[in-house]
Amino acid sequence: MTRVAVFPGSFDPMTNAHLDVARRASGLFDRLVIGVLNNPKKAPLFSIDERVELIGRSVADLGDHVSVDAFDGLTVNFARSHGAGFIVRGLRAVSDFEAELQMALTNRKLAPEIDTTFLMTALEYGYVSSSLTKEVARFGGDIAPMVPGPVAAALVERLGQDARV
Ligand code: PNS
């Protein structure tokens, strides 16, 4: 049986915490599709095409069974469109749990055949978030430990000279 999973998120931008979860999931599933939500309600720093491209470069060494795709609408519909039986989400701290439980139970109600699987982020990335990384970059802090190389370069380019890597 081929085990297919989707790893959905906003990824604005992908962090090392996301990459760590993608790497762990790539070892567990036959196919892993990283799904980048195109949310018209949010004004992201990076466009949907930029986010897909940055993730593609960041996960290039994980293997051909890992791909990246943009999606609109419900995660469960995205999962079904890829024939996925699993949704992957990362947990950094207990504080992530409540919202993730609510999402997992909502998704189970919508699609009982799809299970959400949680992977614990490596301890060293437990503090990393996309929003704080953008803030650090904006004020010139060192973001190199927080994001993959291609993302760090894109943040510096987008947020200006002040953002040192
Ligand atoms: O990276 P994020 O912002 O924590 O990811 C949240 C995401 C994209 C997984 C979540 O917002 C989502 O699944 N959105 C799609 C809409 C949807 O399916 N909503 C109902 C289930 S929560």
Side-chain angles (χ1 to χ4, degrees):
M1 192 177 124
T2 307
R3 293 192 182 274
V4 182
V6 295
F7 176 20
S10 306
F11 300 110
D12 184 42
M14 173 175 252
T15 66
N16 280 337
H18 293 130
L19 182 57
D20 180 61
V21 171
R23 177 168 285 117
R24 288 166 199 281
S26 73
L28 290 172
F29 296 100
D30 300 306
R31 268 199 310 118
L32 177 70
V33 185
I34 302 173
V36 188
L37 179 66
N38 192 9
N39 186 350
K41 281 197 199 139
K42 281 196 186 170
L45 179 64
F46 293 104
S47 72
I48 190 76
D49 290 343
E50 287 170 332
R51 281 177 279 157
V52 167
E53 202 253 338
L54 286 172
I55 296 169
R57 285 163 58 201
S58 303
V59 302
D61 68 328
L62 297 188
D64 289 345
H65 65 306
V66 179
S67 58
V68 193
D69 197 5
F71 75 102
D72 295 299
L74 292 176
T75 287
V76 291
N77 289 344
F78 175 67
R80 282 172 171 154
S81 74
H82 282 279
F86 303 91
I87 293 169
V88 171
R89 292 285 289 171
L91 288 177
R92 291 163 301 188
V94 176
S95 50
D96 285 339
F97 180 76
E98 210 166 326
E100 292 298 332
L101 176 67
Q102 196 175 19
M103 274 200 265
L105 293 177
T106 304
N107 285 331
R108 179 179 289 167
K109 186 57 90 181
L110 293 169
E113 79 281 12
I114 298 174
D115 262 313
T116 301
T117 57
F118 293 103
L119 293 173
M120 307 304 150
T121 309
L123 197 57
E124 63 189 294
Y125 304 128
Y127 70 96
V128 176
S129 74
S130 298
S131 52
L132 282 186
T133 301
K134 284 182 277 191
E135 188 171 301
V136 172
R138 202 164 269 132
F139 294 110
D142 181 12
I143 52 168
M146 303 174 198
V147 289
V151 174
L155 276 169
V156 170
E157 197 181 308
R158 183 62 43 93
L159 294 174
Q161 296 288 322
D162 282 351
R164 290 182 291 272
V165 183

